[in-house]
Amino acid sequence: MYRMRHFSAILILVPAVLVMVSPVSADGIIIPEPPICGPGPCPSPFPIAQLAIEYHHVRVKIEDQIVTTHVDQVFRNDNDWQIEGIYMFPIPVGATINEFVLWIDGEPVEGKVLTREEARQTYEDIVRTMRDPALLEYIDRGAVQASIFPIPPGGTRRIELEYTEVLTAESGLLHYRYPLNTEKFSTMPLEEVSISVKGESSVPIRALYSPSHEISIDREDDFEFLVGYEAYDVTPDKDFDLFFSIAEDEFGLNLISFRDRFSEEDGFFLLLAAPSVEVDPESSIAKDVILVLDRSGSMEGEKFQQAQEALQFILDHLNPEDRFNIIAFSTGATSYARSLRPASEAEDASRWVDSLSARGSTDINLALLEALAISGKERPTMIIFLTDGLPTVGVTDTVEIVENVQDNSPENVRLFAFGIGYDVDTFLLDTLAQSNHGATTYVTPDQAIDETVSGFYAKVNDPVLTNLGIDFGDVTVYDIYPEPLPDLFAGSQLILVGRYKGSGFETVTLTGEVNGELQEFRYPEQRFRSSGGGEFLPRLWATRKIGDLLNEVRLQGPEEELVDQIVRLSIRYGIITPYTSFLVTESNTFGEEAQETIVEDAFESMLAAPRVVTGMGAVERAAEQSKIMGADIAAELPQNSLDLIRLAGPNTFRSVEGVWIDTRFDPDSMQILSIPFLSEDYFKLAGSSEAISAALALGDKVIVVSGGIAYQIIGVDEEGDPVQIALPVVEDEESVIDPDLEISPSEDGFNFGCPGAALALGLMGIPVLKRKVRS
């Protein structure tokens, strides 16, 4: 059976013979009318129709809370016959369109806004007729609808839609969504897609965050922003989400939370904290910067020249009240000055850096201890450490070097390491940085050292709040990432994720130091939801937690408890990385017994693997795991895994013998309720929650878990009778479906063989009868 696929707008071409249709290959679904064939009858079956999208541009303007979205897209008919039909644009959940205008090839056309109920009926009719559930994802949304003029063979239609909506603010946080999910309905990649969002506000804008796409952000002041996203030859598979906060306070703080209403699991939260992008010289925090430069012989040449230019950039951009010093090391160490110097001496120090040359060995221990010896305790202090090699003289044992630095490092020191090339010790650099509230950046041979270091320094040049602490009131939070909390810098933002117990509105308190004085900021009415919320949160939290666990295993060695968490989280949330590919490589991942076996195998494999801390493989692994730890977007599924793994709402599904199975499914312990595909109960189940409708949209054979019950969608024949109920699990697994089970339709619902299922469906408004089995 062909698959219907979707982009943000749906172009539905109403058919008389629906079996000849194929969905549009870009920004819509095409259900063509029978083509004009002549002379003589049309061939049967007729070739599948497809439309291509030449481009899809979205321009968004936000003025305070009023949003105007302009959509511009061009459909191209690559078929040998003309196509006409209906254009449908799904309205984002929660959005209310106040007005809209539609143009086709520059001419205004009449359209209609469908209510949720009207759009739902349209979607259900298409699903029933096409016997394809892909549109179920939009079953709870309204839509804009209009008739489309015929598109001749080889012709194009430019469709433009402009609509206005008003965003609601929740404790100063606003959420804009554009329906860009095309994976469900595209048969070929989009040639071009771009989204630009220009925002203006009469109230200062603080945080800007997209959990769905990597965006560019351009800001010149607190009252405007420009956000951009563009891609080519892509198949978008998720909507575009943008959160932004407004606040008169010096620091903006907002909370997004999520809890599955059908589960007893604890909730997930994301906290956004952002200061002004404008730096007030009067309130700027004075800092100390100590530059530690490797000048050993291996640095000679272009590397050393770029490193010198990086140091000169930092010296040129010191703030007036900053202090600094420079330590250059090889076999020994030499300093620009005996103590920290004022920023006014930066020009002299730049000439001193120019005079340096690279020669000798590498005494990392000596250099870092000298840097710590000249650091003060009254100011935030950054040690920026650049090296391209391993310790070769002095103390060369990495564990001893780490202990020496820890024993001599004041609490106010932040160590930022830059590993240049592949001959660095990743264990040493990462351990030093993480134990001193900093981070490691790896500069590969094809990257410019000066550009990397100067880009980093531009982000941390203006600290506005240090030694952060957060109190969440009476709600218990745990598994927070990042931990410890980083400092806040002008123009930056803290994106904190974690789990929580309980629910309700709480006052969140942010504390930190400004020029040595403790400051406190209180944010009332922050909502920890009892159900619903940001469905992106579970996978984002799991991405960061897995990154943290992988990092711990890499630096400290494998422990079975750590490996157990990595395996189970990666399977549950579909986190596929080079180090967590269990969902792809393992044939059976469902249930406690299967996952215990995977944990044992993974643990033994990690124990047997040699520990490599240097070389290209070690550097690439360290950089990748650091990226996972600090991810702002949940890990993307690799394109080559999409035949096996799919995401639907907050949940992950694995394909087994043509059935999409929820990774939470445990065949050994869960009750199973079978529901015939396209039955009335099937549509009631689809309408019970967004997560379930997204799961059912995966295909006509699905097992989805909700409230501890596994709902199995079973095939039906042309008369609507069930044709199979066997679970597609590994051969040695015992199915919990009763082999004597009867599934029979009735006027009041279906008879299911599953204790407790009637209660579960009853809560969703689906009528069921008691179990009926053969004796």
Side-chain angles (χ1 to χ4, degrees):
M1 180 184 294
Y2 57 82
R3 302 288 307 158
M4 289 200 299
R5 298 290 183 234
H6 167 83
F7 198 44
S8 58
I10 303 173
L11 188 54
I12 300 178
L13 300 186
V14 183
V17 184
L18 290 173
V19 295
M20 299 179 182
V21 303
S22 172
V24 65
S25 57
D27 193 54
I29 300 173
I30 301 301
I31 306 177
E33 291 194 10
I36 300 174
C37 306
C42 291
S44 180
F46 198 83
I48 291 176
Q50 294 183 347
L51 289 184
I53 277 281
E54 294 187 353
Y55 66 76
H56 179 201
H57 299 162
V58 183
R59 298 193 314 272
V60 184
K61 186 174 183 180
I62 301 176
E63 295 179 300
D64 289 319
Q65 294 175 226
I66 300 175
V67 183
T68 301
T69 301
H70 185 96
V71 185
D72 184 0
Q73 53 203 18
V74 171
F75 292 90
R76 186 180 67 243
N77 181 11
D78 291 335
N79 303 286
D80 295 330
W81 60 92
Q82 74 176 19
I83 295 176
E84 60 182 305
I86 297 174
Y87 177 84
M88 290 187 68
F89 182 92
I91 299 172
V93 174
T96 300
I97 291 183
N98 294 337
E99 56 183 270
F100 78 94
V101 183
L102 188 67
W103 298 269
I104 297 179
D105 291 340
E107 296 294 329
V109 298
E110 184 177 351
K112 177 184 179 183
V113 176
L114 300 181
T115 65
R116 287 172 51 187
E117 292 73 20
E118 291 171 329
R120 176 175 181 149
Q121 187 60 54
T122 300
Y123 297 146
E124 287 191 8
D125 289 345
I126 295 172
V127 171
R128 283 190 174 94
T129 305
M130 303 291 294
R131 300 180 65 81
D132 187 307
L135 273 178
L136 288 178
E137 183 169 350
Y138 299 95
I139 201 168
D140 207 32
R141 301 189 186 187
V144 173
Q145 173 183 293
S147 297
I148 299 299
F149 299 117
I151 308 176
T156 61
R157 280 289 178 268
R158 181 183 182 186
I159 299 178
E160 295 176 86
L161 170 68
E162 185 171 287
Y163 62 92
T164 302
E165 60 182 306
V166 178
L167 301 182
T168 58
E170 183 173 322
S171 298
L173 184 67
L174 297 98
H175 177 203
Y176 171 77
R177 167 170 288 182
Y178 178 77
L180 191 63
N181 180 354
T182 69
E183 186 277 328
K184 291 282 189 297
F185 306 97
S186 291
T187 57
M188 66 180 68
L190 240 66
E191 295 178 15
E192 178 188 352
V193 59
S194 66
I195 298 177
S196 66
V197 184
K198 183 178 182 180
E200 299 176 358
S201 174
S202 56
V203 180
I205 300 165
R206 298 306 184 204
L208 275 165
Y209 170 63
S210 173
S212 59
H213 294 78
E214 293 186 2
I215 57 175
S216 63
I217 300 176
D218 185 16
R219 297 190 65 181
E220 295 184 358
D221 57 40
D222 285 335
F223 300 92
E224 297 180 332
F225 67 82
L226 183 63
V227 164
Y229 165 77
E230 63 179 32
Y232 301 88
D233 194 32
V234 295
T235 306
D237 61 355
K238 54 190 173 184
D239 293 340
F240 176 84
D241 285 303
L242 179 68
F243 290 88
F244 63 99
S245 64
I246 53 176
E248 294 283 4
D249 298 330
E250 184 177 357
F251 296 93
L253 185 146
N254 301 90
L255 195 77
I256 306 170
S257 59
F258 171 80
R259 188 192 293 269
D260 185 348
R261 68 187 177 103
F262 294 116
S263 171
E264 295 182 358
E265 289 186 347
D266 292 337
F268 303 81
F269 75 89
L270 179 146
L271 181 144
L272 288 169
S276 169
V277 298
E278 300 175 0
V279 180
D280 182 0
E282 299 298 324
S283 60
S284 177
I285 297 178
K287 65 182 183 297
D288 293 338
V289 180
I290 302 174
L291 305 172
V292 182
L293 174 63
D294 184 345
R295 56 173 294 194
S296 61
S298 60
M299 285 285 289
E300 187 177 15
E302 185 179 5
K303 280 196 295 186
F304 193 66
Q305 181 181 350
Q306 289 184 0
Q308 288 174 305
E309 291 173 357
L311 265 61
Q312 289 165 344
F313 176 90
I314 294 174
L315 293 169
D316 289 343
H317 290 82
L318 292 170
N319 293 327
E321 300 302 316
D322 290 347
R323 299 182 303 188
F324 76 96
N325 205 343
I326 309 167
I327 296 173
F329 72 96
S330 55
T331 306
T334 182
S335 303
Y336 164 71
R338 293 184 178 181
S339 61
L340 292 166
R341 308 306 301 158
S344 58
E345 291 188 21
E347 189 173 340
D348 291 340
S350 183
R351 287 192 290 269
W352 184 83
V353 170
D354 269 341
S355 70
L356 298 173
S357 60
R359 63 172 64 91
S361 302
T362 310
D363 194 338
I364 291 176
N365 184 75
L366 173 64
L368 292 177
L369 291 183
E370 288 207 8
L372 292 170
I374 62 175
S375 64
K377 296 183 179 181
E378 69 277 9
R379 290 183 173 192
T381 300
M382 297 180 190
I383 294 179
I384 299 176
F385 172 44
L386 286 76
T387 183
D388 77 332
L390 308 173
T392 57
V393 294
V395 178
T396 58
D397 180 74
T398 54
V399 174
E400 187 175 351
I401 294 174
V402 169
E403 290 176 349
N404 289 340
V405 171
Q406 289 177 340
D407 291 343
N408 291 275
S409 180
E411 291 184 0
N412 62 310
V413 167
R414 308 289 186 259
L415 193 154
F416 297 95
F418 288 83
I420 302 169
Y422 295 130
D423 296 327
V424 294
D425 187 324
T426 57
F427 167 80
L428 176 62
L429 297 186
D430 287 345
T431 305
L432 286 172
Q434 291 172 28
S435 60
N436 286 277
H437 304 283
T440 306
T441 301
Y442 291 96
V443 187
T444 56
D446 61 333
Q447 295 175 313
I449 300 168
D450 52 341
E451 293 178 5
T452 304
V453 175
S454 60
F456 155 80
Y457 186 75
K459 296 177 182 177
V460 302
N461 189 29
D462 296 293
V464 293
L465 197 65
T466 62
N467 296 323
L468 269 63
I470 301 178
D471 181 86
F472 292 89
D474 293 333
V475 168
T476 300
V477 302
Y478 64 98
D479 270 354
I480 293 176
Y481 304 98
E483 178 65 32
L485 299 177
D487 297 332
L488 271 178
F489 302 90
S492 71
Q493 58 191 21
L494 169 65
I495 301 176
L496 182 73
V497 298
R499 304 292 303 271
Y500 68 90
K501 299 177 182 290
S503 62
F505 291 87
E506 295 290 338
T507 295
V508 175
T509 304
L510 172 68
T511 59
E513 292 182 7
V514 178
N515 289 322
E517 295 185 5
L518 183 65
Q519 302 286 324
E520 181 178 285
F521 308 90
R522 296 170 61 83
Y523 303 89
E525 299 298 311
Q526 300 298 318
R527 185 182 182 186
F528 290 89
R529 292 177 177 270
S530 58
S531 66
E535 289 189 344
F536 68 90
L537 283 172
R539 291 195 75 250
L540 175 58
W541 170 83
T543 297
R544 286 199 181 179
K545 183 173 178 66
I546 286 176
D548 186 78
L549 293 169
L550 287 171
N551 183 69
E552 189 170 350
V553 168
R554 179 172 62 89
L555 297 181
Q556 307 299 332
E559 296 180 8
E560 191 164 5
E561 181 180 349
L562 300 178
V563 177
D564 183 274
Q565 292 183 70
I566 292 170
V567 168
R568 295 179 190 277
L569 286 170
S570 67
I571 291 174
R572 165 67 181 87
Y573 296 104
I575 310 300
I576 311 298
T577 75
Y579 322 102
T580 58
S581 56
F582 311 107
L583 265 178
V584 175
T585 59
E586 300 295 332
S587 59
N588 181 24
T589 59
F590 304 104
E592 182 68 23
E593 184 177 342
Q595 293 184 14
E596 283 182 358
T597 300
I598 296 173
V599 169
E600 292 172 3
D601 292 344
F603 179 58
E604 291 177 4
S605 177
M606 290 182 184
L607 282 177
R611 189 185 186 201
V612 180
V613 299
T614 189
M616 184 170 69
V619 168
E620 289 179 347
R621 182 180 181 185
E624 177 66 23
Q625 292 182 5
S626 175
K627 183 179 179 181
I628 298 171
M629 286 175 61
D632 292 340
I633 301 174
E636 300 278 356
L637 289 180
Q639 287 296 312
N640 59 5
S641 72
L642 295 180
D643 288 340
L644 284 177
I645 315 298
R646 293 288 175 86
L647 305 175
N651 302 313
T652 305
F653 290 76
R654 172 54 150 98
S655 177
V656 180
E657 298 179 14
V659 180
W660 290 104
I661 305 178
D662 196 322
T663 56
R664 296 172 296 171
F665 175 58
D666 188 342
D668 299 320
S669 63
M670 282 188 174
Q671 299 172 341
I672 301 172
L673 178 61
S674 297
I675 299 179
F677 180 54
L678 301 182
S679 65
E680 290 302 316
D681 291 331
Y682 171 83
F683 285 104
K684 289 178 181 177
L685 179 64
S688 64
S689 77
E690 290 181 34
I692 291 181
S693 63
L696 298 190
L698 293 173
D700 59 353
K701 298 182 181 67
V702 177
I703 296 176
V704 58
V705 175
S706 182
I709 303 293
Y711 299 95
Q712 182 187 18
I713 307 305
I714 61 173
V716 293
D717 58 24
E718 292 182 359
E719 284 72 38
D721 296 326
V723 295
Q724 62 86 24
I725 58 173
L727 281 175
V729 293
V730 175
E731 289 183 357
D732 293 336
E733 295 292 330
E734 180 181 353
S735 173
V736 294
I737 291 185
D738 192 327
D740 294 324
L741 173 66
E742 280 188 0
I743 303 180
S744 58
S746 73
E747 293 181 358
D748 299 318
F750 277 82
N751 297 313
F752 301 100
C754 177
L759 175 60
L761 280 188
L763 292 174
M764 299 179 186
I766 301 175
V768 295
L769 300 181
K770 294 182 179 179
R771 183 178 184 181
K772 179 180 179 182
V773 297
R774 295 192 182 103
S775 58

